[in-house]
Amino acid sequence: MEDLQSLIRIPGVWGSLARVEERLLDAAAADDPYLTKIAQHLLLAGGKRFRPLLALLAAEFGPSRDHRPVEAGVSVELIHVGSLYHDDVIDEADVRRGAASVNANWSNTVAILAGDYLMARASEVAATHLSQESVRLLAATYAELVEGQTRELQLDFDLDHGVAEYEQVIAGKTASLIRTSARLGAIAADADDDVVESLSLWAWELGMVFQIADDALDLVADEETIGKPAGSDIREGKFTMPVLEALARENSSRVRELLAGARPYSDQIVIEVIDIVRSGGHVDSALAEATRRLEVASDALRGVPDGEPKQILQTLGAYLLGRVDAART
Ligand code: GRG
């Protein structure tokens, strides 16, 4: 977060983000104090607010200055946080944003209900403050998240799928909402149509890079840095780009043998898989793919007016990949 603050030196964006924080808590407030406590739990636990920040940054490219970009930021963060409530139920996660997850602290039932509540509130915020096209887009993105998550479940522990299917998963579960964040922000500030399109293309690639980098972190960082033991994705049967690339190699028989073995995988198995993946250069090649996508993202910004906001967008990708380099053990 501090890093993002030094990267995004536009005071108006941070002023608007403070307003997003207030509005998020408003939107998660129910008549029932019990539901309010649960619905506000993860909002109060922190988070980078990457999606509202993208909405606010994209809004810098439009002429209008009113409350709508803040509401765009609120609606995308509510969808994001709602999906985290559900994701933690699916993964039986204990910790989220450094705090006890809602399912661990209360129950799965409560986490599902509160996640639904946040989703419903996101729709209400968008329908009250944003255009009909934005409401449609948010609903379509919500569907894409579910599709991405469902596809991921189908591929769990599958040794025979490839990078194309992985990309399909991360497109749905991550890039779609990142793109919608930028798009809603730009539309909310009445940016020109071609600027909205360029920012959407840029954000799509950034979203893909965001997830590729996050997945690489799981293979290179220690528990202290990522808040969970390294190799958690492998333990859960989520084979990300570097692991899939290792599996696709002709000499992959050892990785294949390890991952086809008895489950749950032992620590020793996970460590050996990570060793083979890292020493085979597969983390590096995933990061090279991320860098290639950043070039595509950068090209998408050609038609966008020059200035400080554009310069910031150009550096955000390097920030995401820098997190991986900084965390390498
Ligand atoms: C009901 C919309 C809905 C979804 C159900 C569970 C699910 C289907 C989708 C899950 C999508 C998901 C959790 C994707 C992972 C996205 C991701 C990269 C999360 C981490 O985002 P950060 O790093 O987290 O921005 P913070 O905490 O900083 O906000």
Side-chain angles (χ1 to χ4, degrees):
M1 186 72 172
E2 256 182 23
D3 288 351
L4 280 174
Q5 234 150 10
S6 56
L7 206 71
I8 305 172
R9 293 180 183 274
I10 304 178
V13 166
W14 293 101
S16 295
L17 188 68
R19 182 72 190 126
V20 168
E21 292 299 332
E22 293 171 0
R23 290 281 303 120
L24 281 170
L25 293 179
D26 287 350
D31 288 341
D32 177 2
Y34 177 68
L35 178 54
T36 303
K37 186 162 180 49
I38 296 159
Q40 292 182 342
H41 176 75
L42 268 196
L43 293 170
L44 292 170
K48 296 183 284 299
R49 304 291 190 257
F50 194 61
R51 292 155 191 81
L53 272 170
L54 285 184
L56 296 172
L57 273 172
E60 291 289 311
F61 294 90
S64 303
R65 294 282 172 271
D66 57 35
H67 68 295
R68 288 174 295 162
V70 164
E71 301 300 334
V74 171
S75 62
V76 292
E77 185 68 9
L78 287 173
I79 293 275
H80 170 55
V81 176
S83 77
L84 297 181
Y85 277 46
H86 288 187
D87 194 49
D88 288 343
V89 171
I90 295 169
D91 292 347
E92 299 176 30
D94 293 329
V95 177
R96 172 68 75 172
R97 292 180 165 173
S101 62
V102 171
N103 45 299
N105 222 18
W106 285 275
S107 67
N108 280 350
T109 308
V110 158
I112 291 166
L113 289 170
D116 283 346
Y117 188 73
L118 294 172
M119 299 290 176
R121 287 301 212 186
S123 306
E124 195 180 344
V125 167
T128 306
H129 298 282
L130 306 177
S131 64
Q132 191 183 346
E133 166 58 10
S134 298
V135 175
R136 191 203 63 77
L137 192 58
L138 208 60
T141 307
Y142 184 167
E144 281 184 273
L145 284 179
V146 177
E147 284 177 67
Q149 181 68 30
T150 309
R151 190 80 191 107
E152 183 172 83
L153 290 180
Q154 287 173 289
L155 295 170
D156 277 355
F157 295 105
D158 181 324
L159 297 174
D160 296 315
H161 70 284
V163 168
E165 281 142 309
Y166 162 80
E167 288 184 339
Q168 210 185 0
V169 167
I170 67 170
K173 73 169 198 174
T174 305
S176 61
L177 187 56
I178 303 265
R179 173 172 59 184
T180 292
S181 302
R183 195 171 178 90
L184 287 193
I187 293 173
D190 300 314
D192 288 345
D193 288 350
D194 55 340
V195 171
V196 171
E197 292 310 326
S198 298
L199 291 171
S200 297
L201 263 175
W202 168 81
W204 173 259
E205 296 297 342
L206 192 83
M208 296 295 284
V209 171
F210 185 94
Q211 191 62 57
I212 292 169
D214 217 49
D215 293 341
L217 269 178
D218 191 65
L219 296 167
V220 301
D222 58 17
E223 182 163 0
E224 207 180 308
T225 315
I226 50 176
K228 55 182 184 173
S232 297
D233 290 337
I234 295 173
R235 276 187 191 82
E236 289 169 17
K238 301 199 185 317
F239 303 147
T240 59
M241 189 184 280
V243 175
L244 292 171
E245 281 186 349
L247 276 168
R249 285 290 166 93
E250 271 172 45
N251 56 2
S252 76
S253 53
R254 181 65 185 152
V255 187
R256 194 165 285 275
E257 182 188 8
L258 291 167
L259 293 177
R263 303 199 298 255
Y265 302 135
S266 66
D267 286 349
Q268 224 179 344
I269 284 183
V270 174
I271 290 168
E272 190 177 341
V273 171
I274 292 180
D275 271 355
I276 298 172
V277 169
R278 287 177 62 160
S279 62
H282 300 297
V283 171
D284 291 323
S285 73
L287 294 178
E289 166 62 10
T291 304
R292 189 196 64 75
R293 284 184 176 274
L294 286 183
E295 282 159 21
V296 177
S298 186
D299 285 349
L301 292 180
R302 271 206 201 121
V304 164
D306 289 333
E308 200 184 357
K310 180 165 162 175
Q311 270 172 17
I312 292 169
L313 299 194
Q314 298 279 25
T315 55
L316 272 179
Y319 161 79
L320 295 179
L321 292 187
R323 285 168 63 219
V324 183
D325 272 337
R328 274 181 189 237
T329 52

